[in-house]
Amino acid sequence: MHCFPHVTGCELAENITYLGRRGVFSGTSGLQIAYLSGTESQEEPTPAYSFSSKDVTELKSSLLSTPNFKGVDILLTSPWPRDVESFANSPGEIDTKKCGSTLISDLAASLKPRYHFAALEKAYYERLPYRNHTVLQETPQHVTRFIALAEVGNKSKKKYLYAFSIVPMSLMDSAELVKQPQDVTENPYQKLQKRAQKTKVLGCAEEETACQFFFDLNKHHGKKRPSDGKDRGSSQTKQAKKPPQPTGPCWFCLASPQVEKHLVVSIGTHCYLALAKGGLLPDHVLILPIGHYQSVVDLSSEVMEEVTKYKSALKEFFRSKGKRYVLFERNYKSQHLQLQVIPVPLDYTSEDIKECFITQAQEQQMELLEIPEHSDIMQVVQPGTPYFYVELDTGEKLFHRIRGSFPLQFGRAVLASGALLALPQRTDWRS
C-alpha cells in the first residue's frame, strides 16, 4: 500500500522492481509487457491500492491508439479475469464467475496478450489457448495463453514459477504469429466483447464523423461509408473477400458445433485437414476451408495458397508411403467445399487413373475433359456453376460440367472399383 501510489514505479529491493500502477514496459528486444496493479475497486472513491474502470480505459487507450496495434506480448495483473474458464479446462476449486474481475476481462479482450499472468487466487491454472478473432468473420490473429500462478514457496507445492521462451511479437513473421494450436478454444470474453461492440456502434451512429467499420455487411448494394484514410490507407485498397455465411447448420465450418472435432488432423490459418467420416481407406482425408466457401472457384487467393501447401505436404507424405493421391471435388448438392484426398498405390500410373475415371464416366453418359496442363479450374468455370473435377498429384486434372443430375458417390465409386482399390462395399460413406 505504501508503494502503490508510485505511478512510475520504484525499486522495492535489489532485482525487484515495482513497475507502477499501470502502463507498458518495453524491453530492449522489443518485448512489450502491459501491467495493471492492485485489485478492482468496488467502492467510491477508489482506494489507493485499487484500480478503477478509468485506469483500464486509460491503459487501453494508450495502446489501442498505437498505429497497427496487434496486441502485447505479456499482460500482468493481480486478479484473474472473470469467466476465463469459459470453453476451456476447469481451474479446479476456483470459481471464475465469482472471483474474477470483469475489468480485467475487458482489458485482456482489448490488449490481446500472447501471455496473461495473474496470481491473486493463489492457485496454479494453465488455461487452454484461446482465439483473439472470430472464425469466419475476422482475419486470423495470434492466440492468448492465460496462466495463473500460486504464491511463492507455498506449502502445498503448487506451481509458482513459470519458465518460457518468447520472441517479441514485433520480430515475428505474421504467418508464424497467427498459427493456431490444435487445442485452441473460442474466446472466453465473447459476451463482453459483443456488449462493447453494441455500445461502440451506437456511439458511432450518434457522431457525424465517418466510421468505416460499421456499414451493413449483409447488403450487396449501395456504398460504404468513406474511410478517413488515416489508418486504413487508400479507400481503393482491395479488401480481402469475406466468406459467405452458411444458410443453415454446416457440418464443416470449423466454428460450427456440428463439426466432429475428433477427426481434425491439422489446423492452418485458413484451412484444416480432417479424416473422412466413413473414409474409403484409413488415410482418406479432406482438405477444408475454415470459413464457409462452397467450392474451389469461390476461394480467395490466400485460402487457395494454403490449400496448395496442404496438397504439397500430402503428396510428400503419401509418396513416402509408396502411394500417390487422387483428389476430387463435387460442387453439386454440397454446401461447404470438401476436397477429398484418397491415396492409391504408386503402381497405378496417372494414365491408369485417368483412364479409369474417363471410362466410368462414359458408361454413365458423362464427359470428363482434361484441363490443359498450365490452366486452372478457375479459368474454366464461373462461381456457382455445378461441376465435378479430379486432380492427380502430378497436377493433371479432369473436369465435368454438371448440367442435370449427377451420381453423388461417383468419385468414390471409381476409386472403389475393381480397376483400382477393389473396395465396392465402401462406395457409400455411410456403409
mmCIF file of all heavy atoms in Angstrom, residues 160-194:
data_model
loop_
_atom_site.group_PDB
_atom_site.id
_atom_site.type_symbol
_atom_site.label_atom_id
_atom_site.label_comp_id
_atom_site.label_asym_id
_atom_site.label_seq_id
_atom_site.Cartn_x
_atom_site.Cartn_y
_atom_site.Cartn_z
ATOM 1 N N TYR A 160 4.488 -22.114 -8.742
ATOM 2 C CA TYR A 160 4.544 -20.650 -8.644
ATOM 3 C C TYR A 160 5.583 -20.046 -9.583
ATOM 4 O O TYR A 160 5.718 -18.835 -9.664
ATOM 5 C CB TYR A 160 4.829 -20.210 -7.201
ATOM 6 C CG TYR A 160 6.186 -20.631 -6.650
ATOM 7 C CD1 TYR A 160 7.324 -19.865 -6.900
ATOM 8 C CD2 TYR A 160 6.314 -21.776 -5.879
ATOM 9 C CE1 TYR A 160 8.560 -20.246 -6.403
ATOM 10 C CE2 TYR A 160 7.546 -22.150 -5.374
ATOM 11 C CZ TYR A 160 8.671 -21.394 -5.630
ATOM 12 O OH TYR A 160 9.888 -21.770 -5.147
ATOM 13 N N LEU A 161 6.325 -20.899 -10.288
ATOM 14 C CA LEU A 161 7.356 -20.417 -11.206
ATOM 15 C C LEU A 161 7.047 -20.945 -12.605
ATOM 16 O O LEU A 161 6.740 -22.136 -12.761
ATOM 17 C CB LEU A 161 8.730 -20.931 -10.747
ATOM 18 C CG LEU A 161 9.959 -20.355 -11.449
ATOM 19 C CD1 LEU A 161 10.107 -18.874 -11.162
ATOM 20 C CD2 LEU A 161 11.212 -21.101 -10.998
ATOM 21 N N TYR A 162 7.100 -20.072 -13.593
ATOM 22 C CA TYR A 162 6.781 -20.489 -14.970
ATOM 23 C C TYR A 162 7.895 -19.986 -15.889
ATOM 24 O O TYR A 162 8.086 -18.781 -16.050
ATOM 25 C CB TYR A 162 5.433 -19.901 -15.399
ATOM 26 C CG TYR A 162 4.913 -20.421 -16.719
ATOM 27 C CD1 TYR A 162 4.117 -21.561 -16.787
ATOM 28 C CD2 TYR A 162 5.217 -19.770 -17.911
ATOM 29 C CE1 TYR A 162 3.630 -22.031 -17.997
ATOM 30 C CE2 TYR A 162 4.732 -20.233 -19.135
ATOM 31 C CZ TYR A 162 3.945 -21.363 -19.160
ATOM 32 O OH TYR A 162 3.471 -21.832 -20.356
ATOM 33 N N ALA A 163 8.649 -20.916 -16.434
ATOM 34 C CA ALA A 163 9.745 -20.548 -17.341
ATOM 35 C C ALA A 163 9.294 -20.768 -18.780
ATOM 36 O O ALA A 163 8.672 -21.788 -19.093
ATOM 37 C CB ALA A 163 10.974 -21.399 -17.042
ATOM 38 N N PHE A 164 9.565 -19.820 -19.648
ATOM 39 C CA PHE A 164 9.167 -19.980 -21.049
ATOM 40 C C PHE A 164 10.045 -19.111 -21.941
ATOM 41 O O PHE A 164 10.685 -18.160 -21.478
ATOM 42 C CB PHE A 164 7.682 -19.629 -21.251
ATOM 43 C CG PHE A 164 7.335 -18.183 -21.023
ATOM 44 C CD1 PHE A 164 6.961 -17.368 -22.069
ATOM 45 C CD2 PHE A 164 7.362 -17.632 -19.748
ATOM 46 C CE1 PHE A 164 6.616 -16.038 -21.879
ATOM 47 C CE2 PHE A 164 7.020 -16.310 -19.533
ATOM 48 C CZ PHE A 164 6.648 -15.506 -20.601
ATOM 49 N N SER A 165 10.087 -19.468 -23.213
ATOM 50 C CA SER A 165 10.874 -18.726 -24.198
ATOM 51 C C SER A 165 9.896 -17.972 -25.094
ATOM 52 O O SER A 165 8.890 -18.531 -25.528
ATOM 53 C CB SER A 165 11.707 -19.703 -25.034
ATOM 54 O OG SER A 165 12.387 -19.017 -26.055
ATOM 55 N N ILE A 166 10.183 -16.699 -25.359
ATOM 56 C CA ILE A 166 9.255 -15.911 -26.182
ATOM 57 C C ILE A 166 10.045 -14.962 -27.086
ATOM 58 O O ILE A 166 10.981 -14.303 -26.645
ATOM 59 C CB ILE A 166 8.253 -15.128 -25.295
ATOM 60 C CG1 ILE A 166 7.243 -14.352 -26.157
ATOM 61 C CG2 ILE A 166 8.960 -14.210 -24.313
ATOM 62 C CD1 ILE A 166 6.090 -13.766 -25.378
ATOM 63 N N VAL A 167 9.657 -14.951 -28.357
ATOM 64 C CA VAL A 167 10.217 -13.984 -29.315
ATOM 65 C C VAL A 167 9.245 -12.814 -29.374
ATOM 66 O O VAL A 167 8.040 -13.026 -29.500
ATOM 67 C CB VAL A 167 10.359 -14.615 -30.717
ATOM 68 C CG1 VAL A 167 10.845 -13.583 -31.735
ATOM 69 C CG2 VAL A 167 11.310 -15.806 -30.672
ATOM 70 N N PRO A 168 9.713 -11.579 -29.265
ATOM 71 C CA PRO A 168 8.788 -10.430 -29.317
ATOM 72 C C PRO A 168 7.913 -10.465 -30.568
ATOM 73 O O PRO A 168 8.372 -10.824 -31.658
ATOM 74 C CB PRO A 168 9.725 -9.219 -29.332
ATOM 75 C CG PRO A 168 10.959 -9.697 -28.644
ATOM 76 C CD PRO A 168 11.104 -11.136 -29.035
ATOM 77 N N MET A 169 6.657 -10.116 -30.394
ATOM 78 C CA MET A 169 5.697 -10.095 -31.486
ATOM 79 C C MET A 169 6.205 -9.265 -32.667
ATOM 80 O O MET A 169 6.005 -9.621 -33.832
ATOM 81 C CB MET A 169 4.389 -9.512 -30.955
ATOM 82 C CG MET A 169 3.246 -9.529 -31.931
ATOM 83 S SD MET A 169 1.784 -8.662 -31.290
ATOM 84 C CE MET A 169 1.329 -9.693 -29.924
ATOM 85 N N SER A 170 6.877 -8.157 -32.351
ATOM 86 C CA SER A 170 7.347 -7.245 -33.400
ATOM 87 C C SER A 170 8.408 -7.857 -34.298
ATOM 88 O O SER A 170 8.667 -7.377 -35.397
ATOM 89 C CB SER A 170 7.908 -5.965 -32.759
ATOM 90 O OG SER A 170 8.959 -6.288 -31.855
ATOM 91 N N LEU A 171 9.040 -8.952 -33.843
ATOM 92 C CA LEU A 171 10.110 -9.587 -34.625
ATOM 93 C C LEU A 171 9.637 -10.849 -35.345
ATOM 94 O O LEU A 171 10.405 -11.482 -36.060
ATOM 95 C CB LEU A 171 11.300 -9.955 -33.714
ATOM 96 C CG LEU A 171 11.948 -8.795 -32.930
ATOM 97 C CD1 LEU A 171 13.078 -9.322 -32.065
ATOM 98 C CD2 LEU A 171 12.464 -7.717 -33.886
ATOM 99 N N MET A 172 8.376 -11.217 -35.139
ATOM 100 C CA MET A 172 7.885 -12.487 -35.692
ATOM 101 C C MET A 172 7.263 -12.321 -37.072
ATOM 102 O O MET A 172 6.665 -11.292 -37.380
ATOM 103 C CB MET A 172 6.849 -13.107 -34.753
ATOM 104 C CG MET A 172 7.445 -13.659 -33.469
ATOM 105 S SD MET A 172 6.199 -14.517 -32.486
ATOM 106 C CE MET A 172 5.901 -15.976 -33.494
ATOM 107 N N ASP A 173 7.389 -13.352 -37.876
ATOM 108 C CA ASP A 173 6.718 -13.421 -39.168
ATOM 109 C C ASP A 173 5.214 -13.533 -38.921
ATOM 110 O O ASP A 173 4.775 -14.262 -38.013
ATOM 111 C CB ASP A 173 7.220 -14.655 -39.941
ATOM 112 C CG ASP A 173 6.470 -14.871 -41.233
ATOM 113 O OD1 ASP A 173 6.660 -14.069 -42.161
ATOM 114 O OD2 ASP A 173 5.682 -15.831 -41.303
ATOM 115 N N SER A 174 4.420 -12.809 -39.687
ATOM 116 C CA SER A 174 2.962 -12.775 -39.472
ATOM 117 C C SER A 174 2.328 -14.157 -39.504
ATOM 118 O O SER A 174 1.491 -14.494 -38.666
ATOM 119 C CB SER A 174 2.293 -11.886 -40.527
ATOM 120 O OG SER A 174 2.737 -10.560 -40.389
ATOM 121 N N ALA A 175 2.744 -14.982 -40.480
ATOM 122 C CA ALA A 175 2.160 -16.329 -40.606
ATOM 123 C C ALA A 175 2.487 -17.182 -39.383
ATOM 124 O O ALA A 175 1.656 -17.965 -38.904
ATOM 125 C CB ALA A 175 2.676 -17.002 -41.874
ATOM 126 N N GLU A 176 3.701 -17.029 -38.875
ATOM 127 C CA GLU A 176 4.117 -17.783 -37.689
ATOM 128 C C GLU A 176 3.349 -17.310 -36.460
ATOM 129 O O GLU A 176 2.921 -18.113 -35.625
ATOM 130 C CB GLU A 176 5.628 -17.582 -37.474
ATOM 131 C CG GLU A 176 6.258 -18.518 -36.456
ATOM 132 C CD GLU A 176 6.265 -19.977 -36.877
ATOM 133 O OE1 GLU A 176 6.300 -20.255 -38.100
ATOM 134 O OE2 GLU A 176 6.217 -20.835 -35.983
ATOM 135 N N LEU A 177 3.145 -16.009 -36.364
ATOM 136 C CA LEU A 177 2.471 -15.426 -35.210
ATOM 137 C C LEU A 177 1.025 -15.907 -35.081
ATOM 138 O O LEU A 177 0.551 -16.167 -33.979
ATOM 139 C CB LEU A 177 2.504 -13.889 -35.317
ATOM 140 C CG LEU A 177 1.809 -13.088 -34.214
ATOM 141 C CD1 LEU A 177 2.498 -13.307 -32.873
ATOM 142 C CD2 LEU A 177 1.785 -11.604 -34.561
ATOM 143 N N VAL A 178 0.324 -16.031 -36.202
ATOM 144 C CA VAL A 178 -1.112 -16.358 -36.142
ATOM 145 C C VAL A 178 -1.402 -17.858 -36.217
ATOM 146 O O VAL A 178 -2.557 -18.256 -36.303
ATOM 147 C CB VAL A 178 -1.914 -15.621 -37.253
ATOM 148 C CG1 VAL A 178 -1.742 -14.127 -37.124
ATOM 149 C CG2 VAL A 178 -1.495 -16.096 -38.651
ATOM 150 N N LYS A 179 -0.367 -18.690 -36.172
ATOM 151 C CA LYS A 179 -0.594 -20.135 -36.191
ATOM 152 C C LYS A 179 -1.486 -20.535 -35.024
ATOM 153 O O LYS A 179 -1.293 -20.086 -33.901
ATOM 154 C CB LYS A 179 0.737 -20.893 -36.101
ATOM 155 C CG LYS A 179 1.408 -21.111 -37.448
ATOM 156 C CD LYS A 179 2.602 -22.016 -37.317
ATOM 157 C CE LYS A 179 3.234 -22.283 -38.679
ATOM 158 N NZ LYS A 179 4.469 -23.083 -38.553
ATOM 159 N N GLN A 180 -2.474 -21.391 -35.300
ATOM 160 C CA GLN A 180 -3.431 -21.806 -34.274
ATOM 161 C C GLN A 180 -3.088 -23.206 -33.766
ATOM 162 O O GLN A 180 -3.072 -24.164 -34.537
ATOM 163 C CB GLN A 180 -4.850 -21.811 -34.849
ATOM 164 C CG GLN A 180 -5.256 -20.494 -35.503
ATOM 165 C CD GLN A 180 -5.470 -19.377 -34.510
ATOM 166 O OE1 GLN A 180 -6.339 -19.456 -33.652
ATOM 167 N NE2 GLN A 180 -4.660 -18.318 -34.611
ATOM 168 N N PRO A 181 -2.818 -23.366 -32.466
ATOM 169 C CA PRO A 181 -2.557 -24.709 -31.939
ATOM 170 C C PRO A 181 -3.814 -25.566 -32.022
ATOM 171 O O PRO A 181 -4.935 -25.042 -32.100
ATOM 172 C CB PRO A 181 -2.158 -24.455 -30.476
ATOM 173 C CG PRO A 181 -2.703 -23.114 -30.156
ATOM 174 C CD PRO A 181 -2.724 -22.328 -31.433
ATOM 175 N N GLN A 182 -3.642 -26.881 -31.992
ATOM 176 C CA GLN A 182 -4.787 -27.770 -32.189
ATOM 177 C C GLN A 182 -5.783 -27.716 -31.039
ATOM 178 O O GLN A 182 -6.958 -28.036 -31.203
ATOM 179 C CB GLN A 182 -4.300 -29.204 -32.389
ATOM 180 C CG GLN A 182 -3.481 -29.342 -33.670
ATOM 181 C CD GLN A 182 -3.560 -30.726 -34.287
ATOM 182 O OE1 GLN A 182 -4.332 -31.556 -33.852
ATOM 183 N NE2 GLN A 182 -2.756 -30.973 -35.292
ATOM 184 N N ASP A 183 -5.316 -27.319 -29.829
ATOM 185 C CA ASP A 183 -6.226 -27.294 -28.687
ATOM 186 C C ASP A 183 -6.812 -25.907 -28.430
ATOM 187 O O ASP A 183 -7.335 -25.631 -27.355
ATOM 188 C CB ASP A 183 -5.514 -27.800 -27.423
ATOM 189 C CG ASP A 183 -4.243 -27.005 -27.113
ATOM 190 O OD1 ASP A 183 -3.858 -26.143 -27.929
ATOM 191 O OD2 ASP A 183 -3.622 -27.263 -26.052
ATOM 192 N N VAL A 184 -6.761 -25.020 -29.437
ATOM 193 C CA VAL A 184 -7.259 -23.658 -29.258
ATOM 194 C C VAL A 184 -8.777 -23.657 -29.037
ATOM 195 O O VAL A 184 -9.499 -24.493 -29.583
ATOM 196 C CB VAL A 184 -6.878 -22.778 -30.476
ATOM 197 C CG1 VAL A 184 -7.648 -23.207 -31.717
ATOM 198 C CG2 VAL A 184 -7.092 -21.294 -30.184
ATOM 199 N N THR A 185 -9.254 -22.742 -28.192
ATOM 200 C CA THR A 185 -10.691 -22.652 -27.909
ATOM 201 C C THR A 185 -11.230 -21.298 -28.372
ATOM 202 O O THR A 185 -10.478 -20.422 -28.791
ATOM 203 C CB THR A 185 -10.983 -22.789 -26.395
ATOM 204 O OG1 THR A 185 -10.623 -21.557 -25.731
ATOM 205 C CG2 THR A 185 -10.228 -23.945 -25.777
ATOM 206 N N GLU A 186 -12.547 -21.134 -28.234
ATOM 207 C CA GLU A 186 -13.158 -19.841 -28.505
ATOM 208 C C GLU A 186 -12.724 -18.840 -27.432
ATOM 209 O O GLU A 186 -12.255 -19.231 -26.355
ATOM 210 C CB GLU A 186 -14.687 -19.957 -28.496
ATOM 211 C CG GLU A 186 -15.260 -20.791 -29.630
ATOM 212 C CD GLU A 186 -14.907 -20.231 -31.004
ATOM 213 O OE1 GLU A 186 -14.905 -18.997 -31.159
ATOM 214 O OE2 GLU A 186 -14.625 -21.020 -31.911
ATOM 215 N N ASN A 187 -12.914 -17.566 -27.711
ATOM 216 C CA ASN A 187 -12.549 -16.522 -26.767
ATOM 217 C C ASN A 187 -13.532 -16.517 -25.579
ATOM 218 O O ASN A 187 -14.741 -16.447 -25.787
ATOM 219 C CB ASN A 187 -12.587 -15.165 -27.482
ATOM 220 C CG ASN A 187 -11.955 -14.066 -26.669
ATOM 221 O OD1 ASN A 187 -12.352 -13.813 -25.544
ATOM 222 N ND2 ASN A 187 -10.975 -13.389 -27.251
ATOM 223 N N PRO A 188 -13.036 -16.604 -24.349
ATOM 224 C CA PRO A 188 -13.947 -16.669 -23.194
ATOM 225 C C PRO A 188 -14.681 -15.358 -22.912
ATOM 226 O O PRO A 188 -15.631 -15.337 -22.133
ATOM 227 C CB PRO A 188 -13.010 -17.016 -22.031
ATOM 228 C CG PRO A 188 -11.671 -16.500 -22.449
ATOM 229 C CD PRO A 188 -11.626 -16.659 -23.933
ATOM 230 N N TYR A 189 -14.234 -14.262 -23.546
ATOM 231 C CA TYR A 189 -14.823 -12.952 -23.256
ATOM 232 C C TYR A 189 -15.763 -12.493 -24.374
ATOM 233 O O TYR A 189 -16.013 -11.303 -24.550
ATOM 234 C CB TYR A 189 -13.722 -11.903 -23.054
ATOM 235 C CG TYR A 189 -12.574 -12.395 -22.211
ATOM 236 C CD1 TYR A 189 -11.266 -12.340 -22.694
ATOM 237 C CD2 TYR A 189 -12.775 -12.933 -20.942
ATOM 238 C CE1 TYR A 189 -10.200 -12.809 -21.925
ATOM 239 C CE2 TYR A 189 -11.724 -13.399 -20.175
ATOM 240 C CZ TYR A 189 -10.433 -13.336 -20.668
ATOM 241 O OH TYR A 189 -9.396 -13.803 -19.918
ATOM 242 N N GLN A 190 -16.303 -13.448 -25.156
ATOM 243 C CA GLN A 190 -17.149 -13.115 -26.307
ATOM 244 C C GLN A 190 -18.348 -12.245 -25.934
ATOM 245 O O GLN A 190 -18.629 -11.248 -26.603
ATOM 246 C CB GLN A 190 -17.667 -14.405 -26.957
ATOM 247 C CG GLN A 190 -16.637 -15.106 -27.827
ATOM 248 C CD GLN A 190 -17.209 -16.388 -28.414
ATOM 249 O OE1 GLN A 190 -18.191 -16.923 -27.931
ATOM 250 N NE2 GLN A 190 -16.573 -16.901 -29.447
ATOM 251 N N LYS A 191 -19.059 -12.620 -24.868
ATOM 252 C CA LYS A 191 -20.267 -11.868 -24.488
ATOM 253 C C LYS A 191 -19.899 -10.432 -24.139
ATOM 254 O O LYS A 191 -20.581 -9.488 -24.541
ATOM 255 C CB LYS A 191 -20.943 -12.540 -23.294
ATOM 256 C CG LYS A 191 -21.639 -13.845 -23.654
ATOM 257 C CD LYS A 191 -22.335 -14.442 -22.448
ATOM 258 C CE LYS A 191 -23.004 -15.768 -22.796
ATOM 259 N NZ LYS A 191 -23.623 -16.402 -21.608
ATOM 260 N N LEU A 192 -18.800 -10.281 -23.405
ATOM 261 C CA LEU A 192 -18.353 -8.953 -23.013
ATOM 262 C C LEU A 192 -18.001 -8.115 -24.239
ATOM 263 O O LEU A 192 -18.351 -6.945 -24.335
ATOM 264 C CB LEU A 192 -17.142 -9.093 -22.093
ATOM 265 C CG LEU A 192 -16.576 -7.827 -21.472
ATOM 266 C CD1 LEU A 192 -16.108 -8.123 -20.050
ATOM 267 C CD2 LEU A 192 -15.400 -7.303 -22.288
ATOM 268 N N GLN A 193 -17.310 -8.751 -25.219
ATOM 269 C CA GLN A 193 -16.921 -8.038 -26.439
ATOM 270 C C GLN A 193 -18.150 -7.612 -27.241
ATOM 271 O O GLN A 193 -18.179 -6.520 -27.801
ATOM 272 C CB GLN A 193 -16.015 -8.928 -27.295
ATOM 273 C CG GLN A 193 -14.605 -9.051 -26.747
ATOM 274 C CD GLN A 193 -13.769 -9.997 -27.588
ATOM 275 O OE1 GLN A 193 -14.101 -11.161 -27.773
ATOM 276 N NE2 GLN A 193 -12.674 -9.499 -28.116
ATOM 277 N N LYS A 194 -19.166 -8.495 -27.292
ATOM 278 C CA LYS A 194 -20.373 -8.169 -28.052
ATOM 279 C C LYS A 194 -21.086 -6.960 -27.444
ATOM 280 O O LYS A 194 -21.578 -6.087 -28.156
ATOM 281 C CB LYS A 194 -21.315 -9.377 -28.095
ATOM 282 C CG LYS A 194 -20.860 -10.442 -29.085
ATOM 283 C CD LYS A 194 -21.757 -11.646 -29.051
ATOM 284 C CE LYS A 194 -21.238 -12.729 -30.004
ATOM 285 N NZ LYS A 194 -22.033 -13.962 -29.915
#
